Amino acid sequence: MQINKTNAFKRSAKRLHNNQAISLEKSIEKIRVNPNIGENKKGDCLGVKVYKFHMIGQLTLIAYKYYESKKEIILLDVGTHENFYRNLKK
């Protein structure tokens, strides 16, 4: 399974501390093993899946797209719920 990261995801992940980055990598691995683990979004974010997990006691979201035919996951963004969906629409 191929995993690609957008520039927005890379920027958001770059800001994380080491212990947060470890938690993020574990969550990415869970997505890689089971790409349908995320919740399908509707409306403006149609086709996007969001996986929610706790990072150091705070709810964090990973937005991604899964292309089953290509066996590819594209990680779009990671962050807390505050303004997450507004930024994702951009």
Side-chain angles (χ1 to χ4, degrees):
M1 178 87 48
Q2 183 178 359
I3 296 180
N4 295 321
K5 300 174 182 176
T6 62
N7 288 336
F9 183 89
K10 290 176 186 176
R11 274 192 303 272
S12 298
K14 188 177 182 180
R15 295 184 199 133
L16 300 176
H17 297 286
N18 289 339
N19 56 350
Q20 293 173 321
I22 292 168
S23 180
L24 176 64
E25 288 301 321
K26 289 179 183 177
S27 297
I28 292 172
E29 182 62 23
K30 287 181 184 178
I31 292 171
R32 189 191 65 75
V33 170
N34 183 6
N36 295 316
I37 197 169
E39 177 183 332
N40 289 320
K41 291 294 151 186
K42 302 174 186 170
D44 291 340
C45 298
L46 188 65
V48 175
K49 292 179 179 273
V50 174
Y51 176 65
K52 299 177 182 180
F53 68 102
H54 286 278
M55 179 191 296
I56 317 299
Q58 186 173 20
L59 184 66
T60 307
L61 296 89
I62 297 177
Y64 66 97
K65 286 188 176 184
Y66 172 54
Y67 298 102
E68 191 170 356
S69 60
K70 299 178 188 177
K71 298 287 185 190
E72 178 183 35
I73 297 172
I74 299 176
L75 301 173
L76 302 173
D77 204 0
V78 62
T80 59
H81 193 275
E82 183 179 348
N83 298 326
F84 183 78
Y85 293 106
R86 184 195 68 194
N87 295 339
L88 187 60
K89 290 177 190 178
K90 291 182 181 179

